[in-house]
Every structure is written in C-alpha cells, then in structure tokens.
Amino acid sequence: MEIIKNTDIKRKALIIYCTDTSSGELSGPTADNCAIRSYLKSDTGGKWYDDEIISLHNPNVEEVKYTIKTGFVGVDYSFVVFSGHGCIFKDNNLQYIEVIDGDIALSNLITAAPRQTLVIDACRGYFSGPLTERMIKSFSVQTSSSDIRRTFNKAVMEAEKGLSILYSASEDESSVDTSKGGAYIYSLVHVCKKWGSNPDNGNYLLDVREAHIRARE
C-alpha cells in the first residue's frame, strides 16, 4: 500500500443558491445546497470539514463579492458552485448569474486560489483567453476516513494549476430545475457517488471532463 505523506492544504468551498430572484422562484437550489454539502463531507467527496464550506442563500451582490475576496485568502484549492437563474448578455457575450439584487459576472466568482473549480447550474440563454479542463476530485478510496483528507489534498496539489468551469447548459440553452435540485447538479453528484461506490475503480481519480460528460448524458 502506498504511503501518503502529510499534505496539509487550505481548501474552501462556496455554494451560492438562489431560490427567489426577480426572474422567479426555483425549488431546486435548496436541494442542490444540501446535496453538495453532503457529498463534499463524504468519503467519496474528499471528507471536507463543515467549516470549510460556506453556503449563501439568496445573497446580494456585495455579499458574494465580499465572500470571494475575504473567504479565500491563502486558499490552495477553491470549489465554487452556483445554482439559480443566469444568462449571457448580448452586449458583451459574458455569462452572468442572478442574485437577490442584481446580476454578477462569472469572473467575480474566480478566487485567488491556484487551483479552483466552478460549477454553474444556470441557464445560458442570450439576454439583451480559453480556459482548459483541469481536475475535479472524486475518490473511490479503500482506506480509513483519517487518510481520505490527505489523499484528497495530495491529489489536489499534484494537479496542474488552473481553473475549471463546468456549465450545466451550452450557450443559448436553458437549465432544468426540479424538486430534487438542478438537473445537472443532481446528475453530477449522482455520477460521482456511483463512481465512488464501485470497488472496481480502485484509487484513481474521476477527472472533470469525464464527470461532466457522464452528468450531461
């Protein structure tokens, strides 16, 4: 059995879930928040601590910007999820997400962490430097719970630095909201859990591209 060296890193997750904005009420984001928190704290999700996960329910613009600016100082890996309404503005062709008092450009969700993942479960319909695929961490580990965090941390630090963005919809496409959560996030968590529970997968990683492809099927 491979001996995993101690790899203490600082990680932070932010879940922004908006159920009631000017575009209308959604039932799915609340379920998304619960599902993602539960998954991250599980063995398969990397055994995150509860205080490493921030949930913002119907925040305003300043709350989001303040959390991104102050909550991720010195973080080695960040995981940011948005569930709610969104669109692409025609004037600048940029993705925006909708919070309680307005819209925020996707770029405002990018943290200072050298390794980070964004998951956006929102519509990308049009309203009046390329990013590369990196790694999202999902584990099938046959080891004790005490070693899971070290396994996750080691894999994160070995991954190439950069940003991954996972979209629930293509450009000019709508997302689907359900009582179980956003259809994409529900599927993504299901795919990762199913993969992690398969003993045949051993101890290797499910990369972000494969997880995304399976979730969109």
Side-chain angles (χ1 to χ4, degrees):
M1 179 178 177
E2 180 186 2
I3 298 176
I4 301 172
K5 295 181 180 179
N6 186 25
T7 53
D8 290 332
I9 70 170
K10 187 174 181 181
R11 52 166 107 159
K12 204 77 172 182
L14 171 63
I15 306 168
I16 305 167
Y17 64 112
C18 296
T19 57
D20 186 14
T21 63
S22 61
S23 292
E25 295 184 5
L26 294 170
S27 60
T30 298
D32 288 337
N33 174 61
C34 293
I36 293 167
R37 289 190 72 97
S38 177
Y39 175 72
L40 291 178
K41 292 191 292 183
S42 71
D43 289 355
T44 304
K47 209 69 177 179
W48 292 64
Y49 298 141
D50 194 61
D51 61 5
E52 292 174 324
I53 308 170
I54 303 169
S55 291
L56 295 179
H57 182 214
N58 289 333
N60 59 42
V61 171
E62 287 306 314
E63 285 177 307
V64 173
K65 291 183 177 180
Y66 179 81
T67 302
I68 293 291
K69 182 179 179 180
T70 64
F72 292 85
V73 176
V75 169
D76 297 296
Y77 176 66
S78 68
F79 183 77
V80 178
V81 180
F82 175 79
S83 177
H85 289 294
C87 66
I88 298 175
F89 280 102
K90 288 184 177 180
D91 60 347
N92 57 15
N93 204 40
L94 296 179
Q95 176 73 37
Y96 282 78
I97 61 169
E98 185 177 348
V99 293
I100 199 70
D101 64 342
D103 300 296
I104 301 177
L106 179 67
S107 58
N108 287 295
L109 301 185
I110 297 174
T111 71
R115 297 168 177 83
Q116 53 187 298
T117 301
L118 283 176
V119 178
I120 307 298
D121 196 336
C123 294
R124 302 189 71 208
Y126 284 97
F127 185 79
S128 261
L131 297 174
T132 58
E133 294 289 349
R134 309 288 177 169
M135 302 294 287
I136 184 172
K137 305 306 168 192
S138 182
F139 294 94
S140 174
V141 287
Q142 311 303 318
T143 185
S144 64
S145 294
S146 62
D147 286 333
I148 289 171
R149 283 183 58 87
R150 288 190 296 153
T151 304
F152 183 97
N153 293 347
K154 180 176 181 289
V156 167
M157 296 308 290
E158 289 177 349
E160 184 180 359
K161 293 181 179 180
L163 166 69
S164 294
I165 301 180
L166 282 69
Y167 290 108
S168 64
S170 300
E171 288 189 15
D172 206 19
E173 186 177 79
S174 297
S175 291
V176 178
D177 180 59
T178 76
S179 60
K180 294 181 179 180
Y184 175 71
I185 286 180
Y186 178 82
S187 179
L188 185 65
V189 171
H190 175 73
V191 163
C192 292
K193 284 183 175 180
K194 183 178 180 180
W195 182 91
S197 64
N198 185 349
D200 294 334
N201 287 329
N203 291 339
Y204 66 87
L205 303 177
L206 176 66
D207 67 71
V208 65
R209 186 184 297 275
E210 182 64 21
H212 176 70
I213 289 172
R214 293 186 185 191
R216 293 267 290 172
E217 288 179 346

